[in-house]
Amino acid sequence: MASEIYQSKTTVYVLACWILAAFGGLMFGYDIGISGGVSGMDDFLIKFFPKVHERKLRAVEDNYCKYDDQMLQLFTSSLYLAALVASFFASKLCTVLGRKPTILLASTFFLAGAGFSAGAENKAMLILGRILFGIGVGFGNEAVPVFLSEIAPVQHRGAVNILFQLFVTIGIFIANLVNYSTSTLHPYGWRVSLGLAAVPGLVLFFGSMILTETPSNLTERGKDAEAKAALKRIRGVDNVDSEYEEIKRACDAAKEFKQPFKKLMTRESRPPLIIAIMMQVFQQFTGINAIMFYAPVLFQTMGFKNNASLLSAVITGIVNVASTFVSIYSVDKIGRRKLLLQACVQMFICQTAIGVILFVDLKPTGTMGSGMAALVVVLVCLYVMCFAWSWGPLGWLIPSETFPVETRTAGFAFAVSSNMLMTFVIAQSFLSMLCHMRAFIFFFFSAWILAMGIFVVFLLPETKGVPIDSITERVWKQHPVWKKFMDEHDDSKSREMA
């Protein structure tokens, strides 16, 4: 077993590295949670989207359409468009400068975004703040999961990487609590909500200064002595020779490829690239961010009052955080595939049931009965629960551990950008889709969940317990479908192209 070959101890320093880096996830989660609550605040709507506020007040307005506004959706989605572009610049910086400086830059942009958003006096300032947030998210989501995967010992890699998603869920939960508290602070509650994004940004900014650079990146940049010293520090033992030699072999092979993005286009790079991109597409088309962005809006649509809808969002946030611990505990014990498949079954049932209830009980005008509305909240919680121990954390873990070192940051940039693109699509279109598709939007997401399950069964390999720099030999070359892409002829040809 790899865990017997590579010795390690969990020291106070390495725990601090894991937790401080994971604050990049808290930044991301806080923004996911804060935007939906702010979008439902009357003071915010009156200042920036008065027409939406007028529609919200009309009792006869269509329940499904009262928040349908492209600019309001752009407030949420512009961040993800900026993050999409930023992720490719972050990939280059991750390789050239290192994971640590890229994380520092992420926090800097996020702090600037918090300042512009909280102080916004017009839509231009508001959107600029979102774009700065987006650049920070793009840099953080590129660097942090790779950083965590590279410094984690193999026997705990899944759990350590899932710290990123855990902190995403904590960020969403904190944002929901903040929105619940600031919704009564008139007329500046929304400014407080947006401005408090600076807190996780500051923690990451100062925390990144004490992080070590990863041994893989130091070796990749020719800093062998520093790399070995860093490996000893994060493993807490002096006997790291066998693990260091594994890293050194992988980095020496990577040096033959000068153009990682060009290498990604070769035949043998297709398996991890396809998996990375499809994991992000599927993660977003579970419908999770449609619920997380707009949970307060969604609950208001079902007839909850403003504070009650925010409280319901807080409840889903608690479920989200608690359920992520299930993944941390089980991912390195039962594996990635079983968690994903179990979740597909549970999410399919929940989304379909929500769609049926809304189709039957939520008419264009009026509200749902309290019993049915409460049942929808329970179903949303059950849905969020299984997402939080499966597609949420594993959507980031699997792409961060399946690329070889020569294409790791470039490949993960495609994963991040795919995630941001799909998040942008959902954020920009969900309220319009809700207006036009009504309850059928939940059947739409159910169909995607069915496709996800089929994908996992036939195409997703298990990576539990495999050292990160041995994935190609022990996973891709052994898989019944993907091994056809990994033959020696194509490998030698791609080396000639490099």
Side-chain angles (χ1 to χ4, degrees):
M1 291 288 292
S3 57
E4 295 172 348
I5 297 171
Y6 302 151
Q7 298 179 18
S8 66
K9 294 179 182 176
T10 303
T11 64
V12 172
Y13 175 74
V14 77
L15 277 173
C17 284
W18 295 348
I19 292 170
L20 289 171
F23 262 84
L26 199 146
M27 290 194 321
F28 183 34
Y30 186 87
D31 188 83
I32 290 173
I34 212 70
S35 55
V38 167
S39 297
M41 292 183 185
D42 288 343
D43 294 322
F44 177 81
L45 293 174
I46 290 167
K47 185 169 183 63
F48 296 107
F49 305 99
K51 291 182 180 178
V52 177
H53 184 255
E54 288 174 15
R55 288 206 302 273
K56 178 182 175 182
L57 296 178
R58 294 177 196 162
V60 297
E61 187 67 35
D62 191 324
N63 274 322
Y64 290 99
C65 298
K66 58 187 176 183
Y67 288 95
D68 180 19
D69 184 273
Q70 288 298 310
M71 282 301 294
L72 179 59
Q73 291 174 117
L74 185 63
F75 162 69
T76 297
S77 65
S78 56
L79 179 149
Y80 303 97
L81 202 57
L84 187 160
V85 176
S87 63
F88 287 101
F89 291 97
S91 167
K92 187 67 175 177
L93 288 174
C94 263
T95 300
V96 175
L97 298 181
R99 286 47 161 162
K100 177 178 174 176
T102 308
I103 293 172
L104 180 63
L105 280 171
S107 63
T108 304
F109 279 111
F110 207 80
L111 287 169
F116 271 93
S117 297
E121 290 296 333
N122 51 56
K123 287 181 182 176
M125 284 185 69
L126 192 67
I127 299 301
L128 177 59
R130 298 295 291 172
I131 290 171
L132 290 169
F133 272 143
I135 296 172
V137 166
F139 276 49
N141 286 20
E142 167 72 21
V144 171
V146 172
F147 175 87
L148 291 172
S149 284
E150 288 185 340
I151 69 167
V154 62
Q155 67 271 28
H156 301 309
R157 189 177 66 239
V160 171
N161 190 277
I162 289 171
L163 284 175
F164 176 78
Q165 179 66 18
L166 174 65
F167 275 67
V168 171
T169 64
I170 292 172
I172 293 170
F173 174 61
I174 291 172
N176 288 333
L177 284 178
V178 168
N179 281 335
Y180 183 69
S181 301
T182 61
S183 62
T184 56
L185 297 178
H186 303 294
Y188 299 122
W190 62 271
R191 293 190 188 276
V192 176
S193 290
L194 294 174
L196 285 175
V199 175
L202 282 169
V203 173
L204 188 65
F205 180 83
F206 290 109
S208 63
M209 295 180 184
I210 70 168
L211 298 177
T212 182
E213 187 53 82
T214 70
S216 292
N217 183 255
L218 289 167
T219 304
E220 198 176 5
R221 291 188 285 143
K223 300 182 178 182
D224 293 358
E226 292 179 41
K228 197 164 186 179
L231 189 59
K232 289 180 180 179
R233 194 175 187 191
I234 62 175
R235 293 292 177 260
V237 297
D238 290 328
N239 183 16
V240 296
D241 291 345
S242 58
E243 184 174 6
Y244 180 71
E245 287 305 313
E246 181 80 24
I247 294 170
K248 189 76 167 67
R249 279 195 298 272
C251 291
D252 286 344
K255 288 176 183 177
E256 298 182 34
F257 302 100
K258 305 300 182 184
Q259 299 178 14
F261 283 100
K262 184 177 178 181
K263 173 72 164 69
L264 270 179
M265 298 302 108
T266 59
R267 180 178 172 85
E268 69 271 20
S269 293
R270 287 177 199 166
L273 183 61
I274 290 171
I275 293 293
I277 292 174
M278 292 309 298
M279 287 295 294
Q280 307 311 311
V281 173
F282 286 142
Q283 187 194 71
Q284 295 310 307
F285 277 89
T286 59
I288 184 64
N289 277 339
I291 287 175
M292 285 304 178
F293 287 145
Y294 300 115
V297 172
L298 185 63
F299 291 132
Q300 283 184 37
T301 293
M302 293 183 295
F304 289 80
K305 298 300 182 184
N306 189 49
N307 280 356
S309 68
L310 286 171
L311 183 58
S312 298
V314 169
I315 292 169
T316 60
I318 294 172
V319 171
N320 199 14
V321 173
S323 300
T324 305
F325 284 100
V326 175
S327 188
I328 291 174
Y329 174 78
S330 60
V331 68
D332 290 314
K333 291 181 172 63
I334 69 174
R336 285 66 161 151
R337 280 168 50 90
K338 289 180 181 177
L339 285 174
L340 292 172
L341 287 171
Q342 182 279 329
C344 283
V345 175
Q346 188 170 329
M347 288 192 296
F348 181 83
I349 293 170
C350 292
Q351 288 278 34
T352 303
I354 292 170
V356 170
I357 292 170
L358 294 188
F359 178 75
V360 173
D361 287 291
L362 184 63
K363 306 305 179 186
T365 57
T367 61
M368 295 176 63
S370 58
M372 284 294 103
L375 179 57
V376 170
V377 173
V378 171
L379 288 168
V380 167
C381 288
L382 288 172
Y383 162 82
V384 169
M385 179 188 298
C386 59
F387 177 88
W389 66 53
S390 60
W391 289 89
L394 301 186
W396 295 108
L397 167 61
I398 291 171
S400 74
E401 67 181 3
T402 49
F403 286 98
V405 67
E406 65 266 23
T407 57
R408 189 168 296 150
T409 58
F412 199 70
F414 272 91
V416 173
S417 61
S418 298
N419 186 284
M420 295 300 109
L421 177 60
M422 292 300 104
T423 306
F424 170 78
V425 169
I426 294 294
Q428 186 63 30
S429 61
F430 175 70
L431 294 179
S432 297
M433 290 170 69
L434 182 63
C435 177
H436 292 93
M437 297 176 68
R438 302 178 183 273
F440 287 96
I441 191 171
F442 293 96
F443 301 131
F444 170 80
F445 288 130
S446 295
W448 275 97
I449 291 169
L450 184 61
M452 290 156 50
I454 295 170
F455 177 84
V456 172
V457 169
F458 293 104
L459 295 176
L460 189 71
E462 181 57 69
T463 50
K464 179 188 72 171
V466 182
I468 191 169
D469 291 309
S470 302
I471 295 288
T472 298
E473 293 295 327
R474 293 175 56 177
V475 173
W476 299 120
K477 289 186 178 182
Q478 309 301 322
H479 192 271
V481 174
W482 299 122
K483 67 181 180 181
K484 293 182 290 187
F485 292 80
M486 311 302 294
D487 59 78
E488 294 299 322
H489 172 72
D490 286 316
D491 186 63
S492 61
K493 184 178 178 182
S494 66
R495 290 167 187 262
E496 293 170 8
M497 292 172 58

